Amino acid sequence: MSTDDRDLRDALSKARRALSGGGPLAVLSGAGMSAESGVPTFRDAQTGLWERYDPTELATPEAWRHDRDRVWAWYRWREHLVSTAPPNAGHTAVARAERHRQVVVVTQNVDDLHERAGSTVVHHVHGSLFAHRCDTCGEPMHPGPPSAAPTDHLEPPRCPRGDGWARPDVVWFGEMLPSAAWEASVSAVTGASAVVVVGTSGLVHPAASLPTLAAETGIPVIEVNPGPSGLGREVDVHLRAPAGRVLPDLLA
Ligand code: BV8
């Protein structure tokens, strides 16, 4: 067994002890949770049409104002990509944990892979790829499924109620988070007996403040991430492995 494997085994034992008390579990997920499903993370090089774009530049109201058709095409491409991506063993492990304890998922991800794996309580603090609203009156809009044809410009549908356009119902940089999802997420974290943070660089606020809130509340925090992240002393145990490899052992 390599040192890395031995370290992971020891860390997994420590993490399982931290979870052994039962009680509600809060799972905080970022883009790394969906990486093994083939959904690129924000820090992965974007692929194909989008490889020359920085996601943080496209996920902004300024980008929408500057080039609405490009932003709309990017989101429709992501919708199609996610709709063809399977939940991975990590999503399934989180969903299965509901069989023996209360589990609340708080996700920064705008995909639906936690739900498709069977998780029943999922708070999307940054919205969903699959919800759309008018960028002017805010009413929900239903543009139907995206086409698979790759394109880097696509005009969104007009709002029937006025001069607005359909936009993705996600939270862009500089936009406020949905208050209901945020308040439910804070409650889930502060009411948990343990928090498992999976696949996040921990750089985007206020979501990145949730592990610190747990630690300040005296709640054990376990991080699952094969790489480095912005999380630090708030983490009690760092499992340096991919979500799909370690969550089935951790949450069994
Ligand atoms: C807000 C939805 C109040 C859209 C996203 C100036 C003006 C205004 C605000 C700010 C400002 N300066 C700072 C801010 C705050 C800003 C912010 O935090 N900026 C950062 C860049 C510093 N936040 C906001 O604007 C938020 N709103 O603050 O409102 C306000 C309002 C006005 C004025 C002032 C304050 C809104 C932020 C939400 C943005 N929307 N997504 C969409 O998806 O298109 S953010 C998006 O990026 C994600 O949702 C996610 O949050 C973030 C990406 O982070 P991660 O999920 O962590 O992914 P990443 O790729 O970074 O990392 C992946 C990790 O996985 C890596 O660590 C990797 O090692 C690991 N990994 C890889 N493979 C695996 C793995 N782990 C496990 N298993 C594997 N297999």
Side-chain angles (χ1 to χ4, degrees):
M1 180 181 288
S2 73
T3 309
D4 286 351
D5 288 342
R6 196 163 43 248
D7 290 348
L8 179 60
R9 187 201 58 196
D10 295 346
L12 197 51
S13 301
K14 188 177 174 191
R16 286 177 61 84
R17 283 195 299 276
L19 297 186
S20 59
L25 182 66
V27 176
L28 311 184
S29 66
M33 181 83 226
S34 301
E36 290 154 275
S37 298
V39 180
T41 70
F42 272 67
R43 272 146 192 82
D44 281 345
Q46 293 294 298
T47 54
L49 278 172
W50 305 105
E51 61 189 350
R52 61 188 181 284
Y53 291 99
D54 173 356
T56 57
E57 298 297 318
L58 287 174
T60 65
E62 295 73 21
W64 183 253
R65 280 192 294 276
H66 174 69
D67 195 346
R68 178 179 53 233
D69 293 0
R70 186 188 305 281
V71 176
W72 180 251
W74 181 53
Y75 279 94
R76 296 298 265 170
W77 170 73
R78 290 172 68 193
E79 273 187 70
H80 180 261
L81 178 78
V82 165
S83 63
T84 59
N88 62 59
H91 295 105
T92 304
V94 171
R96 283 205 181 122
E98 289 186 18
R99 296 176 180 173
H100 50 83
R101 73 191 302 166
Q102 183 190 347
V103 180
V104 177
V105 176
V106 173
T107 188
Q108 299 172 75
N109 300 336
V110 291
D111 66 46
D112 61 347
L113 297 180
H114 279 298
E115 292 91 339
R116 283 167 48 203
S119 287
T120 59
V121 184
V122 183
H123 299 304
H124 285 269
V125 293
H126 293 159
S128 167
L129 275 177
F130 301 97
H132 306 85
R133 68 172 194 263
C134 171
D135 66 357
T136 304
C137 72
E139 284 293 301
M141 291 183 68
H142 306 285
S147 95
T151 176
D152 64 358
H153 269 82
L154 192 61
E155 184 171 274
R158 294 304 300 254
C159 176
R161 287 167 291 275
D163 55 2
W165 302 83
R167 62 159 279 180
D169 199 6
V170 300
V171 181
W172 283 329
F173 288 98
E175 293 186 324
M176 302 299 283
L177 276 59
S179 51
W182 179 249
E183 285 156 20
S185 300
V186 170
S187 297
V189 166
T190 52
S193 60
V195 170
V196 179
V197 188
V198 188
T200 183
S201 55
L203 299 175
V204 175
H205 287 271
S209 65
L210 290 172
T212 307
L213 176 63
E216 288 169 351
T217 315
I219 297 165
V221 175
I222 295 155
E223 180 180 17
V224 175
N225 190 331
S229 77
L231 305 183
R233 286 195 308 274
E234 64 268 40
V235 171
D236 296 285
V237 188
H238 184 173
L239 301 173
R240 292 184 184 285
R245 173 173 163 204
V246 79
L247 285 177
D249 289 335
L250 176 65
L251 301 178

